[in-house]
Amino acid sequence: MIHLEDVRLELQSRAGPVEILRGANLDVGDGEAVAILGPSGSGKSTLLMVIAGLEQPNAGRVEVHDQDLIAMGEDDLAGFRRDHVGIVFQSFHLVAAMTALENVAVPLELGGVDNAFERARAALVAVGLEARLEHYPAQLSGGEQQRVAIARAFANRPKLILADEPVSSLDPSTSKQIMDLLEEFNQRDGVAVICNLHLPSLAREYGSRIIALNEGQIVYDGPATDLSETELNSFYDSQ
């Protein structure tokens, strides 16, 4: 499903060029559950944005669903994301003036889906929000808002969900509910889930495979079961 080859991304700053990704190589198959770990600034979010086609690398190869993302223009990339990828951001990015149902349905309508509201309703029911369809974001808890965001990401039935620290601002109980939802989509529907996580314990519990980044490079790629707690924690202590 995903093939990254020697991906490099450099950004300009007042102090000069900053290397965000330094030769990332990665392959992810259909239906995999992958947790990405690493300290702040290691390139975790940028890696997800490259896979989503939201960031263009300076060099390398990025293929998702057998499509060369680097060769695609902005319109084609937007269509690609609409048809193949669900994205769950750390901040919920809900429209305050829209109900939960509208927040999920309107992107589907804009994408040309005929039964947008029917599909949005089903997605919200699937994440346990059947009683909150007509509520606005300000009337929802943080966990409920994140569930709306997950419903929006899943409503178009993608085969890939990218989640950028989806539970970092939530309490432990709500975090578990959100991660359980992502795990359910992965195991029940065969959706590949790649998730940046801020806690090593979550990575062990929900990721069958762990990828660790440090300073823009992948320093570990393997089964979660092969790592001790000390090794997991070391990916965050590395600077």
Side-chain angles (χ1 to χ4, degrees), residues 4 6 20 37 56 68 105 115 134 151 185 205 210 212 214:
L4 272 58
D6 196 25
I20 308 299
L37 305 180
Q56 284 283 348
D68 182 355
N115 60 338
E134 300 303 324
F185 290 141
E205 185 173 356
I210 286 178
N214 190 39

Side-chain angles (χ1 to χ4, degrees), residues 164-178:
D164 189 12
E165 298 199 6
V167 297
S168 63
S169 61
L170 304 178
D171 63 80
S173 175
T174 306
S175 295
K176 185 178 187 309
Q177 293 174 12
I178 297 302

Side-chain angles (χ1 to χ4, degrees), residues 137-179:
Q139 299 171 311
L140 302 173
S141 69
E144 288 171 333
Q145 290 182 50
Q146 188 63 293
R147 279 191 273 168
V148 174
I150 290 174
R152 182 179 57 195
F154 190 70
N156 209 28
R157 300 165 189 167
K159 284 300 181 182
L160 172 63
I161 288 181
L162 304 173
D164 189 12
E165 298 199 6
V167 297
S168 63
S169 61
L170 304 178
D171 63 80
S173 175
T174 306
S175 295
K176 185 178 187 309
Q177 293 174 12
I178 297 302
M179 293 306 300

Side-chain angles (χ1 to χ4, degrees), residues 41-84:
S42 61
K44 301 189 303 295
S45 294
T46 301
L47 185 66
L48 284 193
M49 296 304 101
V50 166
I51 294 171
L54 289 168
E55 287 276 8
Q56 284 283 348
N58 302 103
R61 188 165 187 82
V62 180
E63 294 180 354
V64 183
H65 283 291
D66 297 320
Q67 298 198 46
D68 182 355
L69 300 196
I70 295 178
M72 297 168 69
E74 286 301 320
D75 289 344
D76 289 336
L77 284 169
F80 164 79
R81 285 189 292 271
R82 179 194 65 214
D83 296 336
H84 299 293

